[in-house]
Amino acid sequence: MAEVSQGMTEGQVIDLLGPPHDRLTTEEFLGGARTGPVPGPARSAPPAAPVRWYYRDLPSRGMATVITFRRGVVARVTSRPAERAATDAGAGPPDRAGKGARHEWARELITRHIARVEADRPDFAALPAWRRLTGADVLDFVLNADAHPRHPGQLGCRRRRFGSLTVLVSLFDIAAPDRIRDLLPGGYLPHLDHLLHRSGAGAGIGAGAGQDTAHWLLGRAPDGATVAHLAYLPASRGAGALVPWDLLSEAERRRGAGPL
């Protein structure tokens, strides 16, 4: 593993190791991502709370490295067996696979949704990163992600990188699109852009840095109703973006921000 030392900036770490597989501030670990007006340019200011970046299989397979930043620079670097390091980072234990998945109810929804998109967008089916969406590692992450908001008025989100694909997951205890839109004041796209900026790669909408990005929004209401929405941003300029039309604000729809 390339040497990471105290005082290095986030950008210097990314230059050495690439974007992290998971990233959490203390606030996110305790309560999810707060909704409300999306922060403006000041959002790029280094947070005062510690930020922990989690890298799998570093410095060797079966190990993991947690890098703690304070005010945008490295404060601590620790390497431990993967399961223990994941807990230190707030990334949770390794994902449970198969029929024991935490959100098994969403498996068929996801499979059907992907099939519908491929029928409408055959260009997506040719994208290598898109094909990973149905891979066992990605499905295990999505179906086990602890991505519910921990308090009312928040938007939960978990993120993980799989090669050239970055996957974000948000979960809701509601299914009606209008109820989910209520949690996205200002529209869906500003919130997606904000989540991407907080991912550790420093990339928002339109700045994929070679990474395709998928955002699953999964909901299950107390009455048993379920829903799956998907946003997909290809890094390739030859493929247009897919955004969840039902979750867009009226202003976003008027601007023509629907599926492209």
Side-chain angles (χ1 to χ4, degrees), residues 15-62:
D15 287 342
L16 282 175
L17 304 180
H21 296 109
D22 214 339
R23 175 185 185 274
L24 286 177
T25 65
T26 300
E27 178 188 43
E28 289 169 326
F29 178 53
L30 293 176
R34 189 177 306 278
T35 61
V38 176
R43 67 186 169 193
S44 60
V51 175
R52 294 174 179 85
W53 287 14
Y54 173 69
Y55 287 90
R56 296 192 307 273
D57 294 326
L58 283 177
S60 60
R61 189 170 182 83

Side-chain angles (χ1 to χ4, degrees), residues 123-188:
D123 54 324
F124 275 17
L127 297 173
W130 170 266
R131 294 197 295 269
R132 292 207 65 172
L133 273 179
T134 54
D137 53 350
V138 174
L139 280 175
D140 286 347
F141 166 65
V142 174
L143 295 174
N144 288 291
D146 182 13
H148 279 100
R150 286 162 173 77
H151 302 287
Q154 296 180 341
L155 174 66
C157 185
R158 296 303 304 272
R159 169 198 176 275
R160 188 165 295 176
R161 182 185 178 196
F162 299 88
S164 60
L165 175 67
T166 295
V167 179
L168 295 87
V169 185
S170 297
L171 284 148
F172 306 89
D173 291 324
I174 51 179
D178 58 337
R179 296 282 307 281
I180 296 177
R181 287 197 301 270
D182 288 343
L183 298 176
L184 304 170
Y188 168 71

Side-chain angles (χ1 to χ4, degrees), residues 75-131:
R76 185 183 182 190
V77 182
T78 58
S79 295
R80 299 181 179 181
E83 183 171 354
R84 185 177 177 189
T87 301
D88 291 346
D95 296 327
R96 296 170 296 178
K99 294 183 179 180
R102 180 182 286 120
H103 317 301
E104 185 62 32
W105 56 268
R107 186 184 298 273
E108 187 176 352
L109 281 176
I110 290 171
T111 302
R112 290 201 310 261
H113 196 97
I114 290 175
R116 287 197 303 270
V117 173
E118 290 181 347
D120 293 336
R121 296 289 303 269
D123 54 324
F124 275 17
L127 297 173
W130 170 266
R131 294 197 295 269

